[in-house]
């Protein structure tokens, strides 16, 4: 389980692959809250067929075993030829800016390495580009629209 160093006054968080179905449900609920309610993505486009085979990840308040302590999520899809695609990276608004997103990404990358992926790609919303750049992802290609939100493809070799 990835752990986090914390500044004074900020709760500790940890990230891990989803194990229990209650964790998976909590992860999906966070996606609905962040992408559908906050970013107005159509609800029918949020959960998709990739969710069935994807590896899902959660970030939670450290030591909080109950699903109510889950504050962030991400997923990893196998695109073949050693390429994994990270997506649906979301942290509840009240827990942002505390390193939770970075903690989640490190957890996904560790699992991706363990599964034999050699390259990770993602489609970054433009506002999140600096977040991914700090984690070593490099943008390529033109800006494109997905659900009316501007994105760019980003890539990182593991
Ligand atoms: C993008 C998101 C996951 C980042 O999560 P977070 O927990 O706030 O990020 P962290 O606190 O771990 O930030 C890690 C670093 O990235 C930086 N960062 C995070 N979001 C940033 C942003 N929007 N612009 C610039 N820098 C950003 C932080 O300042 C921090 O930098 P530091 O290491 O120098 O301190 C979160 O803002 C979110 O859920 N947004 C809504 C959903 C979304 O848009 N997801 C991305 C879809 S592509």
């Amino acid at each position: 389980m990835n752990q986090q160093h914390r500044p004074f006054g900020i709760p500790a968080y940890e990230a891990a692959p989803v194990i229990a179905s209650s964790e998976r449900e909590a992860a999906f609920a966070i996606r609905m809250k962040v992408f559908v309610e906050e970013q107005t993505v159509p609800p029918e486009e949020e959960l998709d067929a990739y969710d069935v085979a994807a590896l899902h990840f959660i970030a939670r308040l450290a030591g909080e075993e109950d699903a109510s302590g889950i504050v962030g999520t991400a997923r990893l899809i196998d695109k073949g030829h050693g390429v994994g695609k990270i997506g649906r990276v979301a942290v509840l608004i009240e827990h942002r800016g505390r390193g939770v997103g970075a903690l989640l990404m490190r957890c996904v990358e560790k699992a991706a390495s363990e599964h034999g992926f050699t390259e990770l790609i993602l489609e970054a919303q433009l506002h999140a580009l600096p977040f991914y750049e700090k984690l070593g992802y490099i943008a390529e290609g033109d800006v494109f629209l997905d659900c009316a939100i501007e994105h760019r493809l980003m890539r990182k070799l593991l």
Side-chain angles (χ1 to χ4, degrees), residues 34-35 38-39 88-92 95-103 122-125 127-132 134 151:
V34 171
F35 294 114
E38 187 184 326
Q39 298 190 344
R88 304 299 200 268
V89 183
V91 175
L92 290 177
H95 294 276
R96 288 181 201 154
R98 298 173 168 187
V100 178
L103 184 73
L122 56 87
E123 293 174 352
Q125 295 184 16
H127 75 86
L129 223 72
F131 166 71
Y132 294 117
K134 285 191 171 175
H151 288 74

